[in-house]
Amino acid sequence: MTTALIDLRAAVGNDGDLRLTLAGELDLHTVGQVEPRLTELAASGRHTLLLDLSGISFCDSSGIDLFVRVHHRCHTAGTRLRLCGVPPLVVQSMRVLGADRELGLRAP
């Protein structure tokens, strides 16, 4: 049995915004590893939560659903969620699922 790895790192930028990097495979098995921390950070009271997804090598619909849930939690807390470095295949999946509109992704 192999363990799927996902890595979440957080840092506060010079502007006071929270910058997160997510790397690895985001799927049904790894969403549970990062969701509690993302939920906590969404309620941190920061103006903006910048989530860099450039290190994601795979993301299924459960990962995209996680982004939508975090977006809602951020909105409730008065925090703006911004996704950057979204891999093209993840953008395509978000468009198919309609999550791109909800998450505010713009066409490249």
Side-chain angles (χ1 to χ4, degrees), residues 62-78:
S62 59
I64 293 170
D65 186 53
L66 171 65
F67 300 140
V68 172
R69 289 193 309 273
V70 170
H71 167 74
H72 287 286
R73 289 178 181 126
C74 283
H75 181 74
T76 299

Side-chain angles (χ1 to χ4, degrees), residues 44-90:
S44 68
R46 299 282 179 184
H47 181 265
T48 301
L49 190 82
L50 180 65
L51 183 54
D52 182 353
L53 302 178
S54 60
I56 293 292
S57 58
F58 176 81
C59 181
D60 68 8
S61 61
S62 59
I64 293 170
D65 186 53
L66 171 65
F67 300 140
V68 172
R69 289 193 309 273
V70 170
H71 167 74
H72 287 286
R73 289 178 181 126
C74 283
H75 181 74
T76 299
T79 300
R80 179 178 171 206
L81 176 65
R82 291 185 53 216
L83 301 180
C84 69
V86 184
L89 286 175
V90 177

Side-chain angles (χ1 to χ4, degrees), residues 5-107:
L5 298 176
I6 190 79
D7 185 44
L8 174 65
R9 297 182 188 260
V12 177
N14 293 335
D15 53 8
D17 291 340
L18 194 53
R19 300 177 190 283
L20 308 173
T21 56
L22 196 56
E25 295 184 4
L26 189 58
D27 59 22
L28 181 63
H29 303 288
T30 59
V31 161
Q33 294 175 24
V34 296
E35 185 167 12
R37 183 73 173 134
L38 284 174
T39 299
E40 175 188 331
L41 294 170
S44 68
R46 299 282 179 184
H47 181 265
T48 301
L49 190 82
L50 180 65
L51 183 54
D52 182 353
L53 302 178
S54 60
I56 293 292
S57 58
F58 176 81
C59 181
D60 68 8
S61 61
S62 59
I64 293 170
D65 186 53
L66 171 65
F67 300 140
V68 172
R69 289 193 309 273
V70 170
H71 167 74
H72 287 286
R73 289 178 181 126
C74 283
H75 181 74
T76 299
T79 300
R80 179 178 171 206
L81 176 65
R82 291 185 53 216
L83 301 180
C84 69
V86 184
L89 286 175
V90 177
V91 171
Q92 183 178 7
S93 296
M94 287 179 175
R95 286 188 178 131
V96 167
L97 296 170
D100 61 320
R101 292 183 303 274
E102 192 161 358
L103 294 170
L105 290 182
R106 306 224 183 338

